[in-house]
Amino acid sequence: TFQQKPQGVGRGVYRDPSQAQTQKSMNIHHDKRVIKGNTYAAQVLPLSAQMELQMAEKESERQKKRIAAEHRRKKQEDQKRSLTPEPVEGRRHIDIQTELYLEDLTDKVQEAAVETQTDPMLDRPPTPKFVPSKSGKDAECQIEDGDLFDFDFEVQPILEVMVGKTLEQAVLEVMQEEELETLRQQQLEFEQRRKEEMVETQRLEAAEQRKYEEKERRKKQEQNRLRKEKVIKEKLAARVFSKQFLQNLEGKVFGKLEDEGWFYDSVEREVETAFMPWLFDAVDTQLEAMQKTRSLVDQLVKLSLEKATAQDSIE
């Protein structure tokens, strides 16, 4: 996976006393970074290796984000750090070393090659204390009073600028606070005025609503009154019309019923409805019997004549 930390395959020149005496196997065959098998076939990583690779990628991303956040933090700290004021006229700033040991700073570091031969399996000697080697030339100078600068005199313009800026900022903040207070007061007055206008508007709307409801109620009362008057007039007209219509109704009804035959004599009606139909039926029955009798007589006479004619012809 090429994500393992590098480690040596052999022992160093010196022994580390802090490590255990047991020696771990350093055979390259057991190294996880070495891929065993042919080099031309498709390499299929096992599930554990894939998970390890994903975890390594996530750790790398987190490390990159952490380094970027550290760079941003240092950059912000550098920006927040107060800068050195500009030198006064006739002076200039220079970079000096403030470390305990001074050394000559050059663009190219001096290098030297040293070789030595030691016997194997020697105890590591204690590390000596680091003492930088002396480089460059020593120089000294005597600075009298007033040679560098008078702090009280040099700091006066800076203090004037700082005090002036502070006072100006304070005045601006006070003016801003007064303006905000004025705006807040105006907002409160506006809210109060708007509430009063809203209350007045609600009162006017309520009065208008009451007037509208009273108007609708009066309209309904007037409509009900007109409807009742109309009903009364219609009833009165119907009563007058019915009274006029019913004055001669009895005589007309009886006359019409009599014309249509609803009022009749019971004997006459009995004769017309019962006796006359029975008489007609009896006459019809008797006539049919007489007709049958005559037809039989005619047939007998005809047969007699035919027989008589037949006998005469035989004789």
Side-chain angles (χ1 to χ4, degrees), residues 246-255:
L246 294 175
Q247 284 181 357
N248 300 322
L249 182 61
E250 184 177 357
K252 294 180 179 179
V253 170
F254 280 107

Side-chain angles (χ1 to χ4, degrees), residues 19-68:
Q19 293 183 354
Q21 296 297 329
T22 58
Q23 184 67 25
K24 186 186 297 185
S25 177
M26 286 300 187
N27 191 351
I28 196 173
H29 181 73
H30 300 285
D31 195 347
K32 294 181 179 180
R33 297 174 296 173
V34 178
I35 299 177
K36 294 170 280 295
N38 54 4
T39 58
Y40 55 87
Q43 298 179 2
V44 180
L45 297 177
L47 183 59
S48 59
Q50 293 180 2
M51 295 178 62
E52 186 178 357
L53 179 60
Q54 293 177 358
M55 293 177 62
E57 291 178 354
K58 292 181 180 179
E59 183 64 26
S60 177
E61 291 293 333
R62 286 196 293 268
Q63 186 70 17
K64 290 181 181 179
K65 291 181 180 179
R66 189 161 52 250
I67 294 174

Side-chain angles (χ1 to χ4, degrees), residues 4-21:
Q4 301 290 339
K5 293 183 179 180
Q7 58 183 359
V9 296
R11 292 187 303 174
V13 179
Y14 301 102
R15 290 181 299 180
D16 192 353
S18 61
Q19 293 183 354
Q21 296 297 329

Side-chain angles (χ1 to χ4, degrees), residues 42 44 49 56 79 112 197 199-200 211 255 269 291:
V44 180
Q79 291 178 355
E197 292 178 355
V199 171
E200 183 65 19
K211 291 180 181 179
R269 186 61 177 269
Q291 187 176 0

